[in-house]
Amino acid sequence: MKPRSVQVAKEARQLAWPWAMVMLPGLLFLASPWASTFLAVQIRGALWRRMDWELILVEAGAFLGTALLAALTLGAEFQYRTLALRLAQPVERHELWRQKFLVTIAAVAPPAMIYVLVFDMRFGRPFAVMAAVWIVVITASAIPATLLARSTLGALALMCFPQGAVQAGWALSEKYGPFPQAFWWAVAVVVVAYVAAMIWLGRRMLVRFQAVEGMQAGEAFVPGAHLVPEFVAAWFRCRPTQPLANLVRRELRLLRTLWMLSLLSVVAWIFVVAFRLMPLGPGRQSWRAEVVFGLTVIFSFLIAVLAGVLSLGEDKSWGTHSWHMTLPVSISVQWLVKLGTAAFTSVMCAFALPMSVLLVGGWLRGSPWLYVHHELLWTWPLEVALSTFTAFWCACAVKGAVRATLWLAPVVIGVLFAGEAGAWLADFIGSHGGLVEGAVAKLDPITLNRVFAYIWSSLTPAGLLALALVPLFALGLMQSRRLFRAEGDDTKLHVVRCATPLLALNLAGAFAGSLFMAFSIEAVRQEDAILRETHVAIEILHSANTRPAAAPQQLTVNDLARVAPLSDQTRRWLGDASIIAVPEPFAANTNTALGCGWWCYWQFLPGAPGRTAVPYSAVIRMAGGGHNCSMRFTPVGDARYGTLGAMCD
């Protein structure tokens, strides 16, 4: 095999796993509508209920995924510190640039075709053309952006600036369009000129590039550092007497890429607000507005992910992570500083800044809450923090920021599918074999339903969310603390082993929650059947009573069974109970008449078959000191139907 072929094969192997991760979402959305529906249902209503989550997920795979692939071709050289070795080989740099550029095109072309086809099928031809133009632009600018940022994720952030220009153009076309044909020809000329300029610039930069290697070479390079004011740069310098503050300063310095990306995100949100492209605003937005808003949300999501992976991922890539383990600072403190700084930066840049833009934009239009629902004040920062923590967990499990970013989607999707598997298993058990039905009948559905009603009344949506997330978060926190201590085995099997406890916990939690729901539903069903049968029998006996209207009736379960069919379950529940039924005048509110709250049994039922419904009240006294139940039936309308209320102590 020729040396050139060896290098191409090596780069192909390096890109195989990222290429598969980028291709997979597009193939799923193209081949299986169920997959897109599943993913959209899992996160529907979390950030904004009116957001087109399918559009946002496809945009993320197309724009961020292809940009990551384009940057990886040269970014992997910086990650593994092999660029100086490549430049020292007896190969012309023009030939090296040609090889890198062709490999970039070969890596980006298949997912580009897949996503353009998805856009054309799902969202229309204009969106597909826009996506194709965007992919061509980022492919051309990948080499100069990577050489400037000297890292894959830094190049990804730089390549988002053309995406900001696309957003601005689409926002203007939404506000002032449609533009004449000559304008679009001019835009096409500008795009072609930009692509040609980026290709030429990338070739020129690689030919003249001087590799400066060393353990801190990548960390020391900060694009635009000369523009930072002196007092800001002085604050980031280390102090000999401030070890903890020095760690925080270094973490903020490692997250330098986020400040540039945050500025772009703020500009994007300003465009969205200025041109009224928010889906929460009044009126129905066009598909162009949905596209621009989706790209803006992707900026915030990218910031949250990068905040979690950049610091620890870069440390492991440079080999400085093991050095820091020898510092006279406890490992727990170092881990907490990294996680806390990442979470703070993520919440500030991905939530606080966009929220400020939305509040100010709404205030300028008459109401600060025009674009912000009160629920967003806690759901949005929670989602941002969870995204950052998940990315940080991936950075602890693998070596390198890029690999951690690529593992984020498989880990999240695996946890979601584990939850679905647990719910399916609980439904399967509940619908086969009569296990749930038999258990509820044996445990007394009336008492069981009161317990379930009390539990459900005590749980709020926030409480349910906490029950689902807190165990996963606690386990992930402990795992990240343990994984932080070591470099980590950089293999796929290692990540699967690390993720298995999370998958098992989510499966068990979803199984328990779904089984609890099945028990609740079955308890309600059996309680309804018992009370309905009891009601029909009491009403038949009560309507056939020939004694004075005010006289009570003393009944037993045998009396009820003689006039109406009773199931074995109803007979078992009543047992040796003593039933006292008395006539009642019409009561407009049966629930209030019973003196109970909303947890009472409350149904609209027909009267006894072939009889006119009559009002009554009954007390069921259980033998052996069991619970007692009060029932009241009030006819309505033409006395064929009525409301039945029941309460058991």
Side-chain angles (χ1 to χ4, degrees):
M1 183 180 292
K2 296 181 179 180
R4 184 184 305 174
S5 302
V6 173
Q7 292 294 341
V8 172
K10 175 185 175 183
E11 294 182 357
R13 285 196 301 270
Q14 290 178 346
L15 292 174
W17 173 246
W19 187 82
M21 290 296 99
V22 173
M23 286 281 290
L24 183 60
L27 292 175
L28 285 177
F29 279 95
L30 182 65
S32 175
W34 172 84
S36 61
T37 303
F38 165 76
L39 293 176
V41 167
Q42 295 303 311
I43 48 181
R44 183 183 303 158
L47 183 58
W48 278 305
R49 294 179 181 176
R50 291 178 58 183
M51 286 171 56
D52 189 347
W53 278 107
E54 182 179 354
L55 173 63
I56 291 176
L57 291 173
V58 174
E59 283 181 332
F63 299 147
L64 295 184
T66 53
L68 185 63
L69 275 179
L72 264 176
T73 306
L74 192 58
E77 304 285 356
F78 287 101
Q79 178 182 354
Y80 298 109
R81 302 190 174 276
T82 57
L83 184 59
L85 181 62
R86 293 293 304 275
L87 295 178
Q89 293 179 353
V91 179
E92 290 290 337
R93 290 199 176 189
H94 302 86
E95 181 65 24
L96 178 62
W97 169 83
R98 186 181 300 110
Q99 175 185 324
K100 291 290 184 183
F101 188 66
L102 292 178
V103 170
T104 301
I105 294 176
V108 172
M113 291 187 291
I114 292 294
Y115 281 109
V116 168
L117 182 59
V118 170
F119 291 148
D120 189 33
M121 294 175 58
R122 298 286 182 95
F123 309 111
R125 185 63 52 83
F127 195 9
V129 173
M130 188 269 289
V133 171
W134 157 252
I135 293 173
V136 171
V137 168
I138 63 170
T139 303
S141 58
I143 291 179
T146 308
L147 290 174
L148 181 60
R150 302 190 183 183
S151 69
T152 303
L153 297 181
L156 181 63
L158 287 177
M159 285 189 290
C160 287
F161 279 91
Q163 180 176 333
V166 172
Q167 283 185 262
W170 277 61
L172 291 173
S173 67
E174 174 68 16
K175 182 69 175 179
Y176 303 108
F179 294 121
Q181 194 73 17
F183 172 81
W184 294 114
W185 278 109
V187 170
V189 171
V190 171
V191 170
V192 172
Y194 177 83
V195 169
M198 287 295 103
I199 294 175
W200 172 82
L201 181 62
R203 180 178 179 275
R204 184 172 182 270
M205 289 179 65
L206 185 59
V207 169
R208 299 187 176 187
F209 183 76
Q210 296 297 323
V212 181
E213 291 296 342
M215 192 64 69
Q216 305 296 329
E219 183 180 1
F221 179 76
V222 182
H226 62 282
L227 301 177
V228 178
E230 179 59 29
F231 72 93
V232 176
W235 186 88
F236 279 97
R237 295 192 183 101
C238 295
R239 308 291 194 274
T241 59
Q242 301 176 1
L244 187 60
N246 290 339
L247 287 177
V248 175
R249 291 187 182 99
R250 183 173 183 274
E251 293 306 313
L252 293 175
R253 196 163 178 266
L254 287 171
L255 297 175
R256 60 192 180 276
T257 305
L258 296 186
W259 312 121
M260 175 176 53
L261 197 60
S262 299
L263 177 62
L264 180 61
S265 175
V266 169
V267 173
W269 282 104
I270 291 175
F271 261 93
V272 166
V273 173
F275 294 102
R276 302 186 180 185
L277 304 178
M278 290 287 295
L280 295 179
R284 183 177 178 84
Q285 302 293 340
S286 67
W287 66 274
R288 286 189 177 90
E290 294 287 347
V291 169
V292 175
F293 182 74
L295 294 175
T296 307
V297 172
I298 289 174
F299 277 144
S300 296
F301 173 74
L302 179 61
I303 290 172
V305 171
L306 292 182
V309 302
L310 269 179
S311 174
L312 185 57
E314 295 297 279
D315 260 348
K316 289 187 175 182
S317 297
W318 295 330
T320 56
H321 178 66
S322 56
W323 284 14
H324 282 82
M325 296 297 101
T326 64
L327 291 176
V329 180
S330 69
I331 295 178
S332 298
V333 170
Q334 295 188 46
W335 167 77
L336 190 60
V337 167
K338 277 192 177 292
L339 180 57
T341 305
F344 173 79
T345 305
S346 173
V347 171
M348 288 297 298
C349 297
F351 164 71
L353 292 178
M355 180 62 70
S356 301
V357 173
L358 297 182
L359 291 176
V360 171
W363 176 73
L364 292 176
R365 292 203 170 104
S367 173
W369 307 106
L370 178 63
Y371 300 118
V372 179
H373 192 275
H374 291 282
E375 184 182 351
L376 284 180
L377 296 178
W378 67 271
T379 57
W380 193 353
L382 177 63
E383 290 170 347
V384 167
L386 287 176
S387 300
T388 301
F389 175 72
T390 307
F392 183 79
W393 184 93
C394 292
C396 292
V398 300
K399 183 178 181 179
V402 176
R403 291 185 64 84
T405 304
L406 293 172
W407 270 107
L408 180 65
V411 169
V412 172
I413 293 175
V415 171
L416 293 178
F417 270 97
E420 286 294 307
W424 174 85
L425 183 60
D427 293 340
F428 179 82
I429 292 176
S431 58
H432 293 77
L435 177 63
V436 174
E437 181 179 356
V440 171
K442 186 175 181 179
L443 295 173
D444 184 359
I446 305 295
T447 303
L448 202 60
N449 194 45
R450 289 292 302 275
V451 174
F452 288 148
Y454 176 77
I455 294 175
W456 284 115
S457 64
S458 302
L459 289 176
T460 61
L464 289 173
L465 185 63
L467 284 177
L469 295 180
V470 167
L472 277 175
F473 178 76
L475 179 59
L477 207 63
M478 292 185 290
Q479 280 191 309
S480 68
R481 167 65 179 80
R482 178 177 57 83
L483 295 171
F484 180 81
R485 300 173 62 94
E487 285 288 334
D489 185 8
D490 199 16
T491 61
K492 300 177 181 63
L493 182 60
H494 171 71
V495 181
V496 172
R497 285 200 304 265
C498 294
T500 299
L502 294 175
L503 302 182
L505 179 61
N506 200 39
L507 187 147
F511 175 78
S514 298
L515 201 60
F516 179 81
M517 179 70 72
F519 270 90
S520 300
I521 295 173
E522 183 61 26
V524 171
R525 188 192 68 80
Q526 293 190 20
E527 180 192 52
D528 181 71
I530 290 172
L531 294 179
R532 281 173 180 264
E533 293 177 359
T534 305
H535 152 68
V536 170
I538 291 176
E539 190 186 9
I540 292 175
L541 290 172
H542 183 65
S543 61
N545 187 14
T546 58
R547 289 183 293 175
Q553 287 182 289
Q554 186 81 24
L555 306 173
T556 64
V557 65
N558 294 327
D559 297 329
L560 300 183
R562 281 197 297 267
V563 297
L566 299 180
S567 64
D568 294 338
Q569 186 181 22
T570 304
R571 290 173 177 269
R572 184 169 55 253
W573 177 71
L574 290 173
D576 297 330
S578 174
I579 306 170
I580 302 175
V582 296
E584 285 286 340
F586 174 79
N589 193 329
T590 304
N591 196 27
T592 304
L594 285 172
C596 62
W598 62 268
W599 58 84
C600 291
Y601 176 86
W602 180 260
Q603 288 290 338
F604 185 73
L605 302 175
R611 297 174 182 267
T612 301
V614 293
Y616 71 88
S617 63
V619 176
I620 304 175
R621 301 184 183 279
M622 298 297 177
H627 53 71
N628 301 325
C629 291
S630 301
M631 300 175 60
R632 181 184 290 269
F633 180 72
T634 302
V636 296
D638 58 357
R640 294 184 180 180
Y641 294 88
T643 56
L644 175 66
M647 182 185 70
C648 297
D649 56 26

